Amino acid sequence: MQRRQFLHSCLASSVAASGLAASAVHAQGLTPLRFTLDFRVTSQTSPFFLALSKGYYKDEGLDVSIDVGSGSVASITRVASGAYDLGLGDISSLIEFHAQNPDTPVQALYQYYNRAPFVIIGRKDRGISTDFQSLKGKRVAAAAVESTRRSWPMAARALKTSPELFEWVTTDFSARDNVMVRGDVDAATYFHDSAVSLFARVPEQELAVLEYQKAGLHLYGNAILAGKLVQEKPEAARAFVRASNRALRETLANPDAALAAMRAREPILNLDVERQRWAITRRYLSTAETREVGLGGVQPAVLGRQIDEVAAVFNLARKPAPERLFNTAFLPPMAERQVKA
């Protein structure tokens, strides 16, 4: 009898505590938002954890939760389904999604990666150099649904070479470094900043990094996306972008606090490795273009060319209008989006 009363008392206390926590959030007037990353927690997305740890989202009246992702396409579908309010997803993938789902509410609100960090990294001992033609006849590892792999036909088009220049070897993200180290393949696709895991196992001087942007392909990468939130709670969407932009500017100036916030979320991460990763990431976030259009912004002509390129390469039945794809109304003022060179 006493045990039953004890359990009942504990359950009542737990329910009461949950109710108090929910009431506290409600009393503070915070709007709950769910944000999905494109992949796991690393320094690539550390500014979002800085905004969370420093209370920038709360300052904007938001109660934000951040979850890991499983790729750009998954982020887009998560947001489109309403399971998440916002996400980090690839612009080229969003163009395809719009072509296939013309009524989708999903739009880009803030261009996080001003340039997509798409690279193929090859082993020099297999004859691979920074010349893309050195990949001819080679075996290149990539996950089945992965942005760098899916964008290769556009890079091949820019290079005026065949998309069948090399052979694809489908492998899981987690096995990519292993097949490279063992020599099962000659090269592999990466987000440039994700390759630090490979650099930790193979000396960089033994590897050749082939950057898509150096092939003359100028693609916007992952952006902050929102779906029904834009229509239903536009001020919440604007507040999320504003707080995230604030944290990104601070991280670009000095990444220490953001790296600490990231590590608080994932204690097993190696700070030296993550600092190296961030040094690569920032090159794709803050570019010559962002000094003209500001962080988060895009040039309509560049976006238009990307839409044309994706439509041509993937034989899309329709092309989304740039203004339908990217909603600039949610960007903070230009003065708040400028960074030093």
Side-chain angles (χ1 to χ4, degrees):
M1 183 69 177
Q2 289 179 340
R3 182 174 181 274
R4 186 180 304 165
Q5 289 176 337
F6 175 74
L7 290 174
H8 179 78
S9 175
C10 288
L11 178 61
S13 298
S14 176
V15 171
S18 298
L20 286 171
S23 298
V25 169
H26 181 73
Q28 292 174 30
L30 300 181
T31 300
L33 291 181
R34 295 193 70 193
F35 176 57
T36 176
L37 301 177
D38 55 332
F39 204 44
R40 61 180 183 270
V41 178
T42 67
S43 59
Q44 292 160 298
T45 50
S46 59
F48 299 107
F49 295 99
L50 177 68
L52 198 62
S53 69
K54 281 201 167 186
Y56 293 166
Y57 293 129
K58 276 192 175 180
D59 290 347
E60 294 284 357
L62 306 176
D63 178 30
V64 174
S65 61
I66 302 176
D67 290 338
V68 298
S70 55
S72 286
V73 175
S75 292
I76 294 169
T77 55
R78 282 179 172 185
V79 174
S81 71
Y84 284 81
D85 302 293
L86 302 119
L88 203 60
D90 177 55
I91 286 291
S92 292
S93 298
L94 183 62
I95 292 169
E96 285 188 81
F97 191 82
H98 266 258
Q100 297 159 2
N101 305 273
D103 296 325
T104 182
V106 183
Q107 294 180 301
L109 307 184
Y110 186 98
Q111 192 58 51
Y112 188 66
Y113 276 90
N114 180 261
R115 286 289 178 266
F118 299 158
V119 299
I120 294 176
I121 298 180
R123 293 174 55 126
K124 289 182 179 178
D125 63 355
R126 299 294 177 83
I128 298 175
S129 68
T130 53
D131 181 353
F132 279 88
Q133 289 302 319
S134 67
L135 292 169
K136 187 173 182 178
K138 304 299 185 182
R139 288 163 52 84
V140 180
V145 181
E146 186 254 345
S147 298
T148 308
R149 176 175 181 166
R150 300 192 73 254
S151 297
W152 165 246
M154 289 186 281
R157 182 178 164 108
L159 290 162
K160 295 182 172 55
T161 192
S162 169
E164 285 78 41
L165 182 67
F166 50 78
E167 175 190 352
W168 287 115
V169 177
T170 300
T171 188
D172 189 71
F173 282 114
S174 61
R176 187 172 46 186
D177 289 354
N178 291 336
V179 296
M180 278 287 284
V181 172
R182 289 197 304 262
D184 297 343
V185 295
D186 308 299
T189 61
Y190 284 88
F191 265 36
H192 194 172
D193 36 13
S194 294
V196 293
S197 57
L198 177 64
F199 298 155
R201 300 175 65 182
V202 180
E204 288 187 62
Q205 61 267 26
E206 296 179 13
L207 300 168
V209 179
L210 298 92
E211 300 179 34
Y212 281 19
Q213 65 174 346
K214 289 186 177 177
L217 186 64
H218 293 166
L219 298 176
Y220 291 120
N222 286 2
I224 295 175
L225 315 174
K228 292 181 290 185
L229 186 70
V230 170
Q231 289 79 36
E232 296 175 357
K233 298 177 182 177
E235 284 309 313
R238 192 169 283 110
F240 180 88
V241 170
R242 193 162 48 236
S244 300
N245 174 75
R246 178 183 176 186
L248 175 57
R249 287 182 74 192
E250 288 187 15
T251 308
L252 289 169
N254 186 340
D256 290 349
L259 293 178
M262 167 212 69
R263 197 153 185 249
R265 172 67 176 258
E266 290 290 347
I268 65 171
L269 293 175
N270 183 303
L271 276 181
D272 291 334
V273 170
E274 293 307 320
R275 196 174 297 279
Q276 180 187 7
R277 191 194 308 273
W278 177 254
I280 300 173
T281 297
R282 74 180 323 282
R283 290 166 42 192
Y284 292 91
L285 306 185
S286 179
T287 69
E289 183 180 316
T290 59
R291 289 188 279 279
E292 294 179 18
V293 301
L295 293 172
V298 296
Q299 290 184 331
V302 175
L303 181 59
R305 285 196 296 272
Q306 185 165 347
I307 292 171
D308 290 343
E309 194 70 21
V310 172
V313 168
F314 295 105
N315 298 311
L316 301 184
R318 58 176 64 85
K319 291 192 295 185
E323 62 274 13
R324 175 82 178 84
L325 189 79
F326 197 104
N327 193 334
T328 60
F330 291 82
L331 289 173
M334 179 65 171
E336 296 176 16
R337 295 186 290 110
Q338 292 179 325
V339 292
K340 294 180 180 179

